[in-house]
């Protein structure tokens, strides 16, 4: 399928995990993809794997100057942006009673403030047919022990899409949330642990954890005109975890 032929995309956190799986699928479908992240070496490796239709731009979604430089690069090289995936995220397990202000700030700075200012910085480059995808999580609609801060940040992301669908009326730009379930990535292994992820995957109706490519496939649908009548929605790629 070449649903994204000639499209220009940005995927934050595209050097690893779900972001990398998404960038890979976008390129397979014809897009040019900018990937971002704080670690230059991860970006270099990812860009080398993705090939000539990928470009790494190092930076943090928590720094406005980094976001301005990222979208300045996109503007200088392509003049426009068709697809924006605000995917960079962070979470850690902390039970109620032990949550520190620093832990709260770390999660909300990346997952909510980072998403908001990424979208706001990229929006001037977007026009009719544009697609914004925010990475949510099954935890945003579930109660998960010791994961309240992360989960609340993802619930906030869900509302950003609902409200922005209203703000974007008449622009031809759509915004949707893509909420993965257990997917074995760096973040998941660090935050939840590999064994717990395997167990969680086994507990889904599908019976195993997800692969980043399975999330990327759904992202490509949301990025393409196949989802032209969808905005303000949340799509789950979760093995059924949050659907039962
Ligand atoms: N894996 C799951 O089971 C799962 C389930 C539901 C939702 N999600 C969501 O999926 C998204 C991707 O996570 P993942 O599971 O694929 O884990 P991952 O491989 O660790 O990806 C997270 C990416 O975000 C980047 N990142 C983190 N903080 C950043 C910042 N301040 N600025 C720019 N980039 C930053 C990281 O790169 P650097 O560290 O180099 O910056 C990394 O590439 C996240 O939003 C996560 O909450 C994951």
């Amino acid at each position: 399928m070449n649903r994204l032929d000639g499209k220009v995309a940005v995927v934050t956190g595209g050097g690893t995990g779900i972001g990398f799986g998404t960038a890979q699928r976008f390129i397979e479908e014809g897009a040019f993809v900018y990937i971002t992240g704080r670690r230059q070496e991860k970006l270099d490796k990812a860009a080398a794997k993705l090939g000539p239709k990928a470009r790494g731009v190092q930076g943090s979604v928590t720094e406005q100057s980094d976001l301005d430089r990222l979208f300045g690069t996109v503007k200088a090289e392509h003049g426009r942006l068709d697809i924006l995936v605000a995917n960079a995220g962070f979470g850690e397990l902390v039970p109620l009673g032990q949550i520190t202000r620093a832990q709260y700030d770390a999660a909300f700075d990346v997952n909510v403030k980072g998403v908001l200012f990424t979208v706001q910085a990229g929006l001037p480059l977007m026009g009719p047919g544009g697609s914004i995808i925010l990475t949510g999580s099954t935890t945003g609609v579930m109660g998960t022990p010791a994961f309240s801060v992360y989960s609340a940040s993802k619930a906030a992301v869900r509302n950003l899409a609902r409200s922005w669908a209203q703000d974007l009326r008449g622009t031809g730009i759509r915004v949707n949330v893509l909420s993965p379930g257990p997917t074995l990535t760096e973040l998941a292994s660090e935050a939840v642990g590999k064994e717990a992820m395997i167990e969680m995957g086994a507990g889904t109706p599908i019976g195993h954890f997800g692969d980043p490519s399975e999330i990327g496939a759904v992202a490509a649908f949301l990025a393409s005109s196949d989802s032209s009548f969808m905005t303000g929605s949340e799509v789950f790629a979760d093995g059924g975890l949050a659907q039962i």
Side-chain angles (χ1 to χ4, degrees):
M1 273 193 285
N2 284 319
R3 293 179 297 184
L4 307 180
D5 250 348
K7 302 274 188 192
V8 180
V10 164
V11 181
T12 66
T16 64
I18 289 167
F20 180 80
T22 298
Q24 205 161 32
R25 180 62 182 250
F26 284 4
I27 290 168
E28 279 166 23
E29 294 219 26
F32 185 96
V33 183
Y34 291 87
I35 54 172
T36 78
R38 294 162 301 174
R39 291 166 297 172
Q40 185 72 58
E41 75 282 5
K42 289 274 177 194
L43 283 183
D44 290 345
K45 270 193 190 161
K49 262 194 188 168
L50 291 169
K53 292 195 84 177
R55 168 118 142 76
V57 180
Q58 188 276 337
S60 175
V61 296
T62 61
E63 296 296 327
Q64 189 61 43
S65 57
D66 287 356
L67 291 171
D68 292 342
R69 182 168 43 79
L70 164 67
F71 292 108
T73 304
V74 177
K75 187 176 182 185
E77 294 181 355
H78 285 94
R80 65 169 213 289
L81 179 65
D82 304 300
I83 303 158
L84 174 52
V85 187
N87 165 77
F90 172 75
E92 56 191 326
L93 287 172
V94 204
L96 181 63
Q98 292 172 31
I99 301 163
T100 66
R101 284 173 184 274
Q103 283 162 336
Y104 170 90
D105 286 344
F108 272 75
D109 273 358
V110 179
N111 299 351
V112 184
K113 203 171 171 185
V115 165
L116 160 55
F117 288 102
T118 296
V119 171
Q120 210 165 248
L123 198 55
L125 292 179
M126 300 187 79
S131 175
I132 299 168
I133 301 166
L134 314 179
T135 304
S137 172
T138 46
T139 61
V141 296
M142 297 175 78
T144 308
F147 224 20
S148 62
V149 174
Y150 173 81
S151 305
S153 75
K154 293 299 188 178
V157 165
R158 176 68 187 97
N159 192 274
L160 291 179
R162 289 189 201 279
S163 300
W164 291 346
Q166 293 278 33
D167 289 342
L168 291 168
R169 272 175 193 267
T171 64
I173 302 168
R174 302 178 295 108
V175 55
N176 293 288
V177 176
L178 170 50
S179 288
T183 311
L184 204 52
T185 62
E186 222 175 82
L187 175 67
S189 305
E190 278 166 20
V192 183
K194 192 174 175 184
E195 289 311 310
M197 289 299 292
I198 292 170
E199 205 175 299
M200 209 188 295
T204 67
I206 294 278
H208 57 81
F209 57 77
D211 185 85
S213 64
E214 294 177 287
I215 316 300
V218 181
F221 162 70
L222 287 175
S224 79
S225 61
D226 280 354
S227 57
S228 59
F229 199 46
M230 292 178 67
T231 194
S233 291
E234 179 170 24
V235 178
F236 290 87
D238 67 345
L241 180 73
Q243 318 310 318
I244 49 174

